[in-house]
Amino acid sequence: GRGPMPSRTAEKNKPVPETIRTSAGGCVINCVINWTRNYSCINILPVHNTIAWDCEELEQGTGPTASEATNNDGGSEPDRGAETARRMNDGGGSSTTSESNELVFYVNGHKVVERNVDPELNLITYLRRKLGLTGTKLGCGEGGCGSCTVMVSKYNAPQGKIVHIAINACLAPLCSLHRTAITTVEGIGSTATRLHPVQERIAKAHGSQCGFCTPGMVMSMYTLLRNHPNPTLEEIEDTLQGNLCRCTGYRPIVEGYRTFAQTSSCCGGAGVDWRCCKEQSGEKSPKLFEPSDFLPLDPTQEPIFPPQLALCESPRSTLVFRGERVTWIQPTTLEELLALKTKHPEARLVVGNTEVGIEMKLKNILYPVILAPAHIPELNFTRHTDTGIVFGAACSLSHVGSVLKEAARGLPGYRTEIFRAVLEQLRWFAGQQIRNVAAVGGNIMTASPISDLNPLFVASGCLLTLASSGTTRVLKMDGAFFTGYRKTAVSPQEVLLSVEIPFTRKGEYCSAYKQAQRREDDIAIVNGGMRVVFREGSSVVEEMGLSYGGMGPTTVSAVRTCQQLLGRQWNAELLHVGCSLLVSELALSPSAPGGMVQFRRTLSLSFFFKFYLSVLQKLGQDFQEAFQVEPVSPEYVSATELFHKDPPSSVQLFQGVPPDQVSSDMVGQPLPHLSSFQQATGEAIYCDDLPRLERELYLALVTSTEAHAQISSIDSSQALQMAGVTCFLTAKDIPGSNVTGHVTLDETVFADGVVTCVGHIIGAVVADTEAHAQRAAKAVKVTYTKLEPIITIQDAISHSSYHVPPLKLEYGDIEGGFEQADDIIEGEMHIGGQEHFYLETHCTVAVPSGEDGEMEIFSSTQAPSQTQILVAKALGVPANRIVCRVKRLGGGFGGKASRNTLLATVVAVAAHKTKCPVRCALTRDVDMLVTGGRNPFLGRYKVGFQKSGKIVAADLTLYCNAGNSLDLSSSILMVALFHMSNAYKIPNIRGVGHVCKTNLPSNTAFRGFGGPQGMLIAETWMDAVIRKSGLPADQVRRLNLYKEGDITHFSQKMEDVNIGKCWDECVESSFYHSRRKAVDEFNRQHRWKKRGLAIIPTMFGISFSLTFFNQAAALVHIYTDGSVLLTHGGTEMGQGLHTKMVQVASKVLGIPVSRIHICETSTNTVPNTSPTAASASSDMNGMAVKIACQTLLERLEPFKSANPTGSWDQWVSSAYMGRVGLSATGFYRTPDLNHNWKENRGRPYNYFTYGVASSEVEVDCLTGDHKVRTTDRGAGVATQPLKPVPMCNKITCRKELQ
């Protein structure tokens, strides 16, 4: 499916190369470093002959496909694997167990043999550092984001087939992958050969923006298709549960991948006027891509599983790998495992490494001995008995789920109550990648107090089989099993062999519950397992189990409550007594870890209430003729329903191009992101993907553990003695200035004497590997003398702790306005912070040239010029010695507009001192620790309004928590004050803002840059007005919207205002009024589930609040072959900026986009660039590109006139021969921006964008569970001279956010 296959005869005549072997010291042959694309060809010879592997570079060939193997060998892939195993079994073989340190696996079809593997080396590090396969990305390092997803294939001897699973490479120890085949995103397709359909569809469906998550999405979907070539839409959604996308959103991803599904890919009747998307007509088109153009999926064209891996059903030798700190032992027999556990009672057993890996990485826990029992038959089996189903302790949760699902389908419902409860918990248990490797036994033995399954296992009394040397015993899981935090009744020498999940009988009911911050792939706040058995032929409780997670340091059983309820009828009295008993038994201290104490206690009662109702309902259905039970009131029925996701459906409508627009003019066309194909194949290069340089070193930060303290001492002696460490840096090592900052110079590169937040950078360790640097950084000892910290806005107010004097905007007559008011409301609104969570963490590579202080800085930054200036300042050199280069960012959202310099300056200092290239990509926990996020706000308001709902006065005070430095917070507060009325005209308004100085990591730019905080506070007081007035919400909001010619509170005249039009269109297209009636009716009929409907406007000003930033430049080269190289001052971070700039150049020059290329953003091509921020980069850089291209066109005009029928290439050639310059710069400054803050006059914004959204939500009042049922949103842009084409786009996306 990826191009023509080489002939089989030609392949047989090739010489057979050596197997690729590597050792702890490096690669024996260096072709491994170029493994970046596709499978090489595999020759399948008769089973008794040699198996030959063609090791030509992966870019050149494609792997053998299943269809080709079938045609030659006469069987399908699973059949061949089973047959080879049978032949091997028939041939016998020695059973002698020996010890080996040789690890054998395959990567993209190539055999790899590693010796002396470090047990702490994980798969992602090996792929990226050793093999150079950088398509697999490191996002969170905890198995939570899915950007590191790869496919692992292995032969399952008991099942006699090959299984394919998606896993998180960041958690998978390389040692655990013996005799497996690993497929990365590079192994399924490339732009050099042919894209796999999975790669093509996510790219063409606009499902890739920054692209950092895209390889993981691709591999999750690819694995699903290898197992289910015709998946359902539900299976597609489930397989993406473990993959996060921070910028694109899931709609285009699901839209692209649902084309693989058996169901239709249409909107489901969610179009305008509820018509199907395929029936839409007119100027606005819903088609962003044409599914019929996609490559078909042909399962027979997939690379085959390496036959060598199916030749033996189990490892013959005990694998032993000894690293610097950890020994990994993989025994082959149960007897050997038990002997090892006796010898090493504190050793941890690891199957999926989903818990131990996190403990070692994030909790700094060291386990010197790890035992890997994954291949022991006694721990890998499934057995059906008369009492239940027994699972080996090493069985994965995915396997458990599939077996239980099959049993639930084939057995009577009353037999499978516990099975269905387990399946309900597994629906929301982590992501698919974790479930594929996490062992059911590991889930039990980890003894997590918030385990999703343990409460259910305890409530249902699952039986555990335990073994130690010479003994075996069966233990029932009950309230005594968990003896303390992360402790169980299992002795250190014992090994959990199996767990039996029992059948249920008639009159026995079981349910499981979980509440988390979000429904999918999140840890529980509280969960529960509940089971009741009734006396035969009655509703009298005979046996009961109530067990909870999240209510203490262990899984908690409500033993006293259960005992008191035995013998009672299942009725309202039992419910009342049970709730009272649970309140007393499940007490939580106000200071309990995890917080939310009241909510957690409420959840424990809500779960019991839901269980009571569901059992009452089932009793009425199952025993309606035997005895009477209280009927469940219709308005209570919704409390018994499990969380249900409706199939997503959506339609996106956008303004089409004019009919007479030529096809080569791509402006306005739905052009996919120019890098989307490279992002889908893993070829797109991010900062940490840059090839390793000779003598390159790695850096790790040493940060403060105190919020405010004097540094008493720094002891780096132990760290400097550790393996691989080169040096330790502090403030005294800075050759230039330790003072740094953005708006003001109020920060330091390294803390000097005092730390002002947790995460304040104190020093840095430089070492030969990333692991060595990180370990040594943890060994640096810092002592402090604590000082009083200021943390919250309230703390800052009480201490009068502010960075700058108050900011103030006032318009109209405040006192007179309140006199006109019929009523006045007052209140306040608290807004918390928010993490940026860009998928790519901050990364910098500094490369010193060794001449004149020159240095190249490769950085994931939105502000290359600011990075250049501050690095030069730290090094004590002019800015012209520093070049900052940016290829692309894996997301930014404002978090890389200024805070990247924290890392860039430190790495540059390290490179200067060591005279070596230095690299640092922050781990997710360190990134979140040191960088800050969205500014928390406090808004206090006093608002006067009339009986009609017209607001006549508002007096607002805003407090912004800036953190320990000013950074951009004063500008953020300015923007919040500009947007403090949202889209509403308030004739008399005053806003005063305070920038609070606290001991938090400095908060910074974030999407909206203060606008969302100002608008959210505005909508809070607007809601208060609506509630007080008793008028319809949509009526009051519509009444107060801006109109043409209005003057804003910052004295700008409103022109080309279309917020009213957007409002009216959204009301109409969303059927707001009819839905309002439907929502009210639903709420009357349902007691425990409620629906809400809102329609909200927004108005956002476009320009930098600091006027001097509103400038941009571009550089355009035309080469003699007619190709164009374009450079501008903006950075590409997923928003498609480079794509837009190419569209502009294409339109102006009149050439196809294929002839234009953007390489990178760099300070040596376009100097003094403004940060890529403020939603203004497309406008400013686009105009600069346009000006540069127009200059070149003017130079080409004489040659076009002389040869009007000539081609572009001819005109360019003639210009060159005529000695005309084919390089031009363009410079643009946004005109008429002249706001004077002190006098509150002038024009701060170039124009405004408008948006209106209507959303309907549903909330479970018992648990807080919620989902978005429908969303309709429309957007418009005010027409300005620089935007000659008015836009009023409307997007309807119903049921997309559930």
Side-chain angles (χ1 to χ4, degrees), residues 219-535:
M219 292 311 299
S220 288
M221 189 65 198
Y222 176 78
T223 307
L224 173 65
L225 294 175
R226 289 300 301 267
N227 292 312
H228 304 285
N230 296 299
T232 65
L233 185 55
E234 182 181 8
E235 287 172 331
I236 293 174
E237 285 193 89
D238 288 345
T239 205
L240 296 178
Q241 278 185 356
N243 292 82
L244 297 183
C245 178
R246 182 65 180 86
C247 54
T248 307
Y250 298 92
R251 184 194 59 78
I253 297 171
V254 174
E255 285 294 306
Y257 281 159
R258 72 188 302 167
T259 59
F260 289 112
Q262 301 167 352
T263 55
S264 170
S265 61
C266 83
C267 71
V272 172
D273 297 332
W274 300 101
R275 287 182 290 127
C276 174
C277 59
K278 296 179 179 179
E279 298 174 5
Q280 304 294 331
S281 61
E283 295 182 1
K284 297 180 180 180
S285 167
K287 277 199 173 183
L288 288 170
F289 59 88
E290 178 50 63
S292 61
D293 294 338
F294 291 153
L295 292 171
L297 176 68
D298 185 354
T300 66
Q301 295 299 299
E302 301 297 350
I304 68 167
F305 181 72
Q308 283 186 336
L309 298 183
L311 294 179
C312 180
E313 71 275 13
S314 61
R316 298 299 183 89
S317 302
T318 298
L319 293 182
V320 180
F321 302 105
R322 296 178 175 86
E324 294 179 4
R325 308 190 303 168
V326 177
T327 297
W328 174 287
I329 306 175
Q330 180 176 304
T332 59
T333 64
L334 178 59
E335 181 182 8
E336 184 183 2
L337 173 64
L338 297 179
L340 287 168
K341 198 68 170 76
T342 301
K343 182 179 180 181
H344 306 285
E346 300 305 318
R348 294 301 297 264
L349 272 66
V350 169
V351 176
N353 201 44
T354 56
E355 182 67 26
V356 170
I358 299 296
E359 290 180 333
M360 294 184 69
K361 179 179 179 180
L362 300 182
K363 299 181 181 180
N364 206 25
I365 299 175
L366 179 64
Y367 297 109
V369 178
I370 290 178
L371 305 179
H375 296 281
I376 295 176
E378 289 87 347
L379 274 71
N380 284 281
F381 71 93
T382 302
R383 184 172 65 248
H384 293 252
T385 68
D386 293 337
T387 55
I389 301 179
V390 182
F391 295 95
C395 289
S396 71
L397 295 179
S398 292
H399 174 71
V400 170
S402 62
V403 172
L404 293 181
K405 188 177 295 185
E406 184 178 352
R409 282 197 297 260
L411 293 171
Y414 70 86
R415 296 277 284 163
T416 61
E417 282 277 329
I418 296 174
F419 295 176
R420 283 181 277 125
V422 172
L423 289 172
E424 175 63 20
Q425 290 299 73
L426 288 178
R427 282 178 68 197
W428 316 115
F429 190 108
Q432 190 76 257
Q433 297 92 323
I434 296 294
R435 296 195 295 269
N436 285 339
V437 297
V440 62
N443 181 81
I444 295 170
M445 296 303 298
T446 295
S448 169
I450 54 172
S451 164
D452 291 339
L453 294 178
N454 285 343
L456 186 55
F457 289 161
V458 170
S460 58
C462 289
L463 298 179
L464 307 180
T465 301
L466 305 169
S468 59
S469 292
T471 63
T472 301
R473 65 178 176 130
V474 176
L475 182 65
K476 182 178 181 180
M477 287 188 72
D478 55 22
F481 180 75
F482 297 102
T483 58
Y485 179 69
R486 300 280 182 170
K487 295 180 180 179
T488 70
V490 180
S491 68
Q493 291 81 15
E494 286 184 308
V495 171
L496 174 61
L497 295 184
S498 65
V499 54
E500 181 182 32
I501 303 178
F503 293 124
T504 50
R505 61 175 176 82
K506 286 185 177 180
E508 181 176 0
Y509 301 99
C510 186
S511 294
Y513 302 96
K514 173 181 178 178
Q515 190 58 48
Q517 294 281 12
R518 70 176 203 148
R519 177 48 68 174
E520 295 175 337
D521 195 13
D522 198 3
I523 60 174
I525 300 170
V526 175
N527 49 36
M530 301 182 182
R531 170 178 159 270
V532 62
V533 182
F534 292 102
R535 191 176 300 163

Side-chain angles (χ1 to χ4, degrees), residues 5-166:
M5 294 295 299
S7 71
R8 180 65 62 193
T9 303
E11 287 300 306
K12 285 186 178 181
N13 292 332
K14 285 190 175 183
V16 179
E18 294 182 28
T19 298
I20 296 175
R21 293 181 179 270
T22 66
S23 65
C27 298
V28 175
I29 57 175
N30 61 12
C31 73
V32 180
I33 199 67
N34 293 318
W35 288 2
T36 57
R37 298 296 173 261
N38 246 326
Y39 282 96
S40 65
C41 240
I42 308 172
N43 231 349
I44 305 300
L45 304 178
V47 71
H48 297 296
N49 293 346
T50 304
I51 296 180
W53 297 81
D54 181 4
C55 291
E56 64 183 349
E57 288 190 3
L58 295 172
E59 286 88 347
Q60 302 302 317
T62 58
T65 63
S67 65
E68 192 172 9
T70 299
N71 293 338
N72 282 275
D73 296 327
S76 66
E77 180 182 359
D79 292 337
R80 185 188 309 108
E83 178 63 23
T84 52
R86 283 193 295 270
R87 292 184 184 181
M88 190 66 189
N89 291 338
D90 291 344
S94 172
S95 61
T96 303
T97 300
S98 59
E99 183 177 304
S100 171
N101 66 354
E102 184 174 272
L103 185 70
V104 180
F105 57 98
Y106 288 78
V107 178
N108 295 339
H110 285 259
K111 184 177 181 179
V112 180
V113 180
E114 278 279 2
R115 298 182 185 277
N116 305 317
V117 175
D118 188 340
E120 295 184 75
L121 178 65
N122 56 34
L123 176 59
I124 192 170
T125 303
Y126 183 83
L127 292 174
R128 293 178 58 82
R129 299 287 189 262
K130 197 109 181 223
L131 302 187
L133 296 173
T134 57
T136 305
K137 307 301 181 189
L138 178 61
C140 67
E142 304 175 26
C145 73
S147 62
C148 64
T149 302
V150 299
M151 185 180 81
V152 170
S153 305
K154 53 188 175 183
Y155 179 68
N156 187 308
Q159 299 180 34
K161 67 177 184 179
I162 296 157
V163 296
H164 308 288
I165 60 172

